[in-house]
Amino acid sequence: MNQERVKELLQEALAENESLFLIDLQFLANSKIKVIVDGDAGVPLSECVRISRNIEHNLDREEEDFSLEVTTPDIAHPLMVRRQYKKNVSRILKVKTETEEFEGTLTEVTDSDITLHWKTREPKPIGKGKHTVEKEKTLAYDEIKEAKVKIIF
């Protein structure tokens, strides 16, 4: 399997639609190729088909047999690329760092970090009972071990 040729064909296909970006490219056993793409505004099925055809039609099946899967990321999988954070602004994320876990609304995404915002109940500084406090946390990308979009039904 000419992996470099597959990468070239994939980049050509992605270049035709600048809102799409590569999440993962895997060359698995039994000549299986798995491509995971995402888009700034989602990925229509027609784009997955177009990418698949661009790769398949430019490789010679007589030379080498292979299977190809072009898919979008599963909602249960963690965010892997910085560009995914931008498309999830205003959604609730569950973010794990080395020592802590945060759950909040993604309010800001920059080139170096993200900002989460949430409300929590804390004991009152004076007297009994609790009050609601708004919190905010800015996390650098290199601090984040895992970030997932929380699914709310």
Short mmCIF file of all heavy atoms in Angstrom, two decimals, residues 23 32 36 51 56 69 72 107-108 110 114 126 147:
data_model
loop_
_atom_site.label_atom_id
_atom_site.label_comp_id
_atom_site.label_asym_id
_atom_site.label_seq_id
_atom_site.Cartn_x
_atom_site.Cartn_y
_atom_site.Cartn_z
N ILE A 23 -9.08 14.48 10.92
CA ILE A 23 -8.95 14.13 12.33
C ILE A 23 -7.94 13.00 12.48
O ILE A 23 -7.04 13.05 13.29
CB ILE A 23 -10.31 13.68 12.94
CG1 ILE A 23 -11.33 14.80 12.84
CG2 ILE A 23 -10.13 13.20 14.37
CD1 ILE A 23 -11.00 16.02 13.64
N LYS A 32 -6.61 -2.18 5.18
CA LYS A 32 -7.78 -1.34 5.45
C LYS A 32 -7.31 0.08 5.74
O LYS A 32 -6.39 0.30 6.52
CB LYS A 32 -8.57 -1.87 6.64
CG LYS A 32 -9.81 -1.06 6.93
CD LYS A 32 -10.66 -1.65 8.03
CE LYS A 32 -11.89 -0.78 8.23
NZ LYS A 32 -12.76 -1.28 9.27
N ILE A 36 -10.90 9.68 9.10
CA ILE A 36 -11.90 10.38 9.91
C ILE A 36 -11.74 11.87 9.62
O ILE A 36 -10.67 12.44 9.84
CB ILE A 36 -11.73 10.09 11.41
CG1 ILE A 36 -11.80 8.58 11.68
CG2 ILE A 36 -12.79 10.83 12.21
CD1 ILE A 36 -11.51 8.19 13.11
N ILE A 51 -14.82 12.27 -0.94
CA ILE A 51 -13.46 11.99 -0.49
C ILE A 51 -13.10 10.54 -0.78
O ILE A 51 -12.02 10.24 -1.28
CB ILE A 51 -13.30 12.32 1.01
CG1 ILE A 51 -13.42 13.83 1.23
CG2 ILE A 51 -11.98 11.80 1.56
CD1 ILE A 51 -13.59 14.24 2.67
N GLU A 56 -10.31 6.25 -3.90
CA GLU A 56 -10.50 4.95 -4.57
C GLU A 56 -10.24 5.00 -6.07
O GLU A 56 -9.59 4.11 -6.61
CB GLU A 56 -11.94 4.45 -4.34
CG GLU A 56 -12.09 3.66 -3.08
CD GLU A 56 -13.44 2.98 -3.01
OE1 GLU A 56 -13.66 2.03 -3.78
OE2 GLU A 56 -14.25 3.43 -2.19
N GLU A 69 -12.62 3.28 4.40
CA GLU A 69 -13.74 3.80 5.19
C GLU A 69 -13.49 5.28 5.45
O GLU A 69 -12.46 5.65 6.01
CB GLU A 69 -13.85 3.04 6.51
CG GLU A 69 -14.95 3.54 7.42
CD GLU A 69 -14.96 2.85 8.77
OE1 GLU A 69 -14.11 1.97 9.03
OE2 GLU A 69 -15.83 3.20 9.58
N THR A 72 -16.99 10.29 9.91
CA THR A 72 -16.87 11.47 10.77
C THR A 72 -16.65 10.99 12.19
O THR A 72 -16.94 9.84 12.52
CB THR A 72 -18.14 12.33 10.69
OG1 THR A 72 -19.26 11.54 11.06
CG2 THR A 72 -18.34 12.88 9.29
N THR A 107 -16.71 28.73 26.23
CA THR A 107 -17.06 30.11 25.89
C THR A 107 -16.06 30.79 24.98
O THR A 107 -16.41 31.72 24.26
CB THR A 107 -17.23 30.97 27.16
OG1 THR A 107 -16.01 30.91 27.91
CG2 THR A 107 -18.39 30.50 27.99
N GLU A 108 -14.81 30.33 25.00
CA GLU A 108 -13.79 30.99 24.18
C GLU A 108 -12.73 29.99 23.76
O GLU A 108 -12.34 29.11 24.53
CB GLU A 108 -13.14 32.12 24.98
CG GLU A 108 -12.20 32.97 24.17
CD GLU A 108 -11.60 34.11 24.99
OE1 GLU A 108 -11.99 34.32 26.15
OE2 GLU A 108 -10.72 34.78 24.43
N THR A 110 -8.92 30.07 21.74
CA THR A 110 -7.84 30.84 21.12
C THR A 110 -6.83 29.85 20.55
O THR A 110 -7.02 28.63 20.64
CB THR A 110 -7.14 31.76 22.15
OG1 THR A 110 -6.43 30.94 23.09
CG2 THR A 110 -8.13 32.65 22.86
N ILE A 114 -8.40 27.27 25.88
CA ILE A 114 -9.86 27.33 25.85
C ILE A 114 -10.34 27.87 27.19
O ILE A 114 -9.62 27.80 28.19
CB ILE A 114 -10.50 25.95 25.59
CG1 ILE A 114 -10.21 24.98 26.75
CG2 ILE A 114 -10.05 25.39 24.26
CD1 ILE A 114 -11.02 23.70 26.72
N ILE A 126 -20.34 33.54 54.98
CA ILE A 126 -20.81 33.84 56.34
C ILE A 126 -22.20 33.23 56.49
O ILE A 126 -23.07 33.41 55.64
CB ILE A 126 -20.87 35.36 56.58
CG1 ILE A 126 -19.49 35.97 56.40
CG2 ILE A 126 -21.43 35.67 57.96
CD1 ILE A 126 -19.47 37.48 56.41
N ALA A 147 -10.94 15.82 26.27
CA ALA A 147 -12.10 16.73 26.26
C ALA A 147 -13.19 16.09 25.41
O ALA A 147 -12.94 15.67 24.29
CB ALA A 147 -11.71 18.08 25.69
#
